Amino acid sequence: MAKGEGAESGSAAGLLPTGILQAGERPVQVKKESKKKNQLSICNKLCYAVGGTPYQVTGCALGFFLQIYLLDVAQVDPFSASIILFVGRAWDAITDPLVGFCISKSPWTRLGRLMPWIIFSTPLAIIAYFLIWFVPDFQQGQTLWYLLFYCLFETLVTCFHVPYSALTMFISTEQSERDSATAYRMTVEVLGTVLGTAIQGQIVGQAHTPCVQDANASTVALEGVNRTQSATSLRETQNAYLLAAGVIASIYVICAVILTLGVREQREPYETQQAKPMPFFRGLRLVMSHGPYIKLIAGFLFTSLAFMLVEGNFALFCTYTLGFRNEFQNLLLAIMSAVPFLILVALMESNLIVTYVVAVAAGISVAAAFLLPWSMLPDVIDDFHLKQPHIHGTEPIFFSFYVFFTKFASGVSLGISTLSLDFTGYQTRGCSQPARVKFTLKMLVTMAPIVLILVGLLLFKLYPIDEEKRRQNKKALQALREEASSLGCSDTDSTELARIL
């Protein structure tokens, strides 16, 4: 330590006591063997990346289409639909720390600690997902039906996604391999959002529900439209949603199988020699007091809220503000909302071609603002491990609360949108809306997200782990893993090694 921070340019193993190093004088050979052992093949990385597809595909389908489905296909009244959406997302947020708690208490098995959650939640999750898009024959109890299966699916997909997210820390002990696998994952997840949007949108996008020409039409008039609607046409629309659900459920299963067969969960060498796992609530206090984690969560919360606002209101924005009622499903294939797109759409006149061009041009920015924070989380966890070397088993806590704040943002955006539209006089199933509603939608999809993204970027500016700090952490952790793996340290030696690093 006398050499100062510049000492990281030397061997991190040089910081270790001579006695520990003398236990085996083969650091170069062990380093090569350890690195080779922990290298991931391209096939392994692709299998890991594919595991992120189910969450993205189902999330996009539910985020963009569930509200329209409940109102126009399942014929649920708007108040009940609001209850289903709000309670479902609120419950979804609560399940993340609960699942994280359960995972932190899970023992290691032959398949690992995380993989069993992914394997056993998958079949139940696809059944619940399919039943969300099924219209029961009975009218009484429809609200309870959709609320039950929506909450059940969100619970089960959380049992899949939280351990999958934490799996980043256990696919390899090499930081470079983790970074590479994360890059593969981000790429596949972006493709997953497009895939989910394409499948759901193109299969059900041609289904049109009649609207009321008079925005001030009474409830009786609305009921008359429903009564005169062709039963055959409605059944075809319902079948289209079921077909889309079946395709997406099949993708969910295929991706889960590929992940399970292609990825092997690895345990940290030094973790096997530690004492019993840290109690959950003590670990939670330590995690939530870690400065870099709080700053990363704060920035991610604001950017997530921005994108959730756009996602929840995009259909209404296209239909009523831009006037592209029949182009909604096609625009979804082009748009990945971001600041440049939002600014231009806010200022320009309604123009379909310009909207497509700008949406495609701005598409890549969603990865920087929404997916890149996920690649920063492993760096935060590594920094935590160096500052708390005796604590292990906290990875599910880190990832579960990270997901929790994303879903919390979704619930907040849903509440803000619903209250704003109700206050400005939104007319259910109207062919047009009052000017105040159009203006509100424009603000919800453009100016509000812009402000939230800018606040999030300012918070990301305060993020303390830069590239130099990241390299230092990487070298120190690598030394810890190599020495613990190669020297067969006793409990005393392992504790001393962790304390020094």
Side-chain angles (χ1 to χ4, degrees):
M1 294 298 180
K3 295 182 179 180
E5 294 183 357
E8 77 273 4
S9 60
S11 172
L15 297 175
L16 303 175
T18 305
I20 295 180
L21 285 178
Q22 287 178 348
E25 297 180 357
R26 6 178 213 102
V28 176
Q29 179 182 355
V30 169
K31 182 176 181 179
K32 290 181 179 179
E33 292 177 354
S34 175
K35 187 172 183 179
K36 183 178 180 180
K37 179 181 178 181
N38 291 290
Q39 282 183 339
L40 298 174
S41 66
I42 295 179
C43 181
N44 292 140
K45 295 174 184 177
L46 287 174
C47 291
Y48 166 72
V50 165
T53 303
Y55 183 77
Q56 299 298 334
V57 171
T58 57
C60 279
L62 291 170
F64 283 113
F65 292 94
L66 183 58
Q67 185 177 27
I68 297 176
Y69 166 79
L70 291 174
L71 293 174
D72 295 346
V73 180
Q75 306 292 320
V76 176
D77 65 272
F79 178 75
S80 298
S82 299
I83 293 177
I84 294 170
L85 294 171
F86 181 78
V87 174
R89 296 194 183 189
W91 173 252
D92 187 21
I94 295 173
T95 57
D96 289 284
L98 292 178
V99 171
F101 171 79
C102 295
I103 293 175
S104 68
K105 296 297 184 181
S106 300
W108 279 85
T109 66
R110 185 173 59 86
L111 297 174
R113 186 172 64 180
L114 305 175
M115 278 298 184
W117 288 83
I118 294 174
I119 294 172
F120 292 111
S121 66
T122 296
L124 298 176
I126 61 173
I127 294 173
Y129 181 79
F130 187 81
L131 292 177
I132 290 176
W133 305 103
F134 176 77
V135 180
D137 294 333
F138 51 86
Q139 292 295 325
Q140 297 294 330
Q142 264 195 346
T143 300
L144 182 60
W145 171 281
Y146 290 112
L147 184 60
L148 172 63
F149 287 109
Y150 187 30
C151 291
L152 179 60
F153 171 74
E154 294 295 353
T155 302
L156 293 168
V157 79
T158 298
C159 292
F160 181 100
H161 188 63
V162 169
Y164 170 74
S165 299
L167 190 61
T168 305
M169 305 302 298
F170 297 98
I171 55 176
S172 175
T173 57
E174 290 284 340
Q175 183 63 41
S176 60
E177 294 298 306
R178 293 177 180 176
D179 294 341
S180 178
T182 300
Y184 277 80
R185 172 191 170 185
M186 290 171 57
T187 302
V188 173
E189 286 188 345
V190 171
L191 296 177
T193 60
V194 177
L195 181 63
T197 302
I199 293 173
Q200 189 80 11
Q202 296 303 311
I203 292 178
V204 307
Q206 302 303 318
H208 303 290
T209 302
C211 61
V212 179
Q213 296 294 336
D214 184 2
N216 296 318
S218 64
T219 304
V220 175
L222 291 175
E223 293 176 352
V225 172
N226 291 333
R227 285 194 301 266
T228 57
Q229 183 181 16
S230 171
T232 303
S233 176
L234 181 60
R235 176 55 61 183
E236 290 175 353
T237 303
Q238 295 172 354
N239 290 337
Y241 274 93
L242 286 177
L243 176 60
V247 174
I248 290 177
S250 300
I251 293 174
Y252 194 120
V253 174
I254 293 172
C255 293
V257 171
I258 293 174
L259 173 66
T260 303
L261 298 179
V263 177
R264 184 173 63 89
E265 187 176 348
Q266 300 184 30
R267 199 171 186 178
E268 288 282 13
Y270 61 84
E271 182 181 327
T272 60
Q273 304 174 40
Q274 299 291 328
K276 62 181 180 179
M278 173 66 56
F280 176 80
F281 290 104
R282 183 185 173 192
L284 178 60
R285 288 194 299 270
L286 291 173
V287 167
M288 298 309 294
S289 62
H290 190 54
Y293 185 61
I294 297 301
K295 292 182 175 65
L296 185 60
I297 279 182
F300 192 51
L301 176 62
F302 280 93
T303 55
S304 297
L305 180 57
F307 287 107
M308 295 299 178
L309 275 175
V310 176
E311 181 186 64
N313 295 281
F314 186 72
L316 298 174
F317 176 71
C318 287
T319 300
Y320 298 115
T321 304
L322 296 181
F324 302 143
R325 177 181 294 272
N326 298 327
E327 294 292 333
F328 166 54
Q329 70 275 9
N330 296 322
L331 283 170
L332 286 179
L333 292 178
I335 186 173
M336 288 292 178
S337 305
V339 170
F341 169 75
L342 301 179
I343 293 176
L344 188 54
V345 169
L347 298 178
M348 72 179 186
E349 296 294 331
S350 177
N351 188 296
L352 180 59
I353 297 178
V354 174
T355 303
Y356 269 110
V357 172
V358 176
V360 173
I364 196 172
S365 60
V366 72
F370 193 71
L371 294 178
L372 282 180
W374 281 101
S375 68
M376 300 161 69
L377 186 55
D379 297 332
V380 172
I381 298 176
D382 286 341
D383 186 72
F384 176 84
H385 283 163
L386 286 174
K387 293 180 180 178
Q388 303 287 345
H390 302 292
I391 308 302
H392 65 91
T394 56
E395 290 84 1
I397 300 177
F398 274 101
F399 283 94
S400 63
F401 275 88
Y402 206 58
V403 178
F404 166 81
F405 282 105
T406 306
K407 296 176 180 179
F408 173 79
S410 176
V412 170
S413 67
L414 178 64
I416 292 175
S417 302
T418 304
L419 290 176
S420 300
L421 294 175
D422 182 65
F423 180 76
T424 54
Y426 176 79
Q427 300 294 326
T428 303
R429 295 180 184 173
C431 289
S432 62
Q433 296 291 340
R436 291 185 302 171
V437 173
K438 294 179 180 180
F439 178 79
T440 301
L441 287 170
K442 194 171 190 178
M443 293 299 101
L444 289 173
V445 179
T446 57
M447 298 309 300
I450 288 172
V451 173
L452 291 170
I453 289 175
L454 292 177
V455 173
L457 293 177
L458 289 176
L459 292 171
F460 282 134
K461 184 68 175 178
L462 303 176
Y463 180 67
I465 302 179
D466 55 14
E467 187 60 27
E468 180 180 359
K469 177 68 173 177
R470 184 172 176 273
R471 285 197 299 267
Q472 294 176 13
N473 290 348
K474 177 182 177 180
K475 290 182 178 180
L477 279 173
Q478 194 64 31
L480 174 61
R481 293 174 182 131
E482 290 171 0
E483 295 301 329
S485 177
S486 63
L487 300 180
C489 299
S490 65
D491 290 343
T492 303
D493 291 338
S494 181
T495 302
E496 176 69 11
L497 184 64
R499 183 187 65 79
I500 293 172
L501 285 173

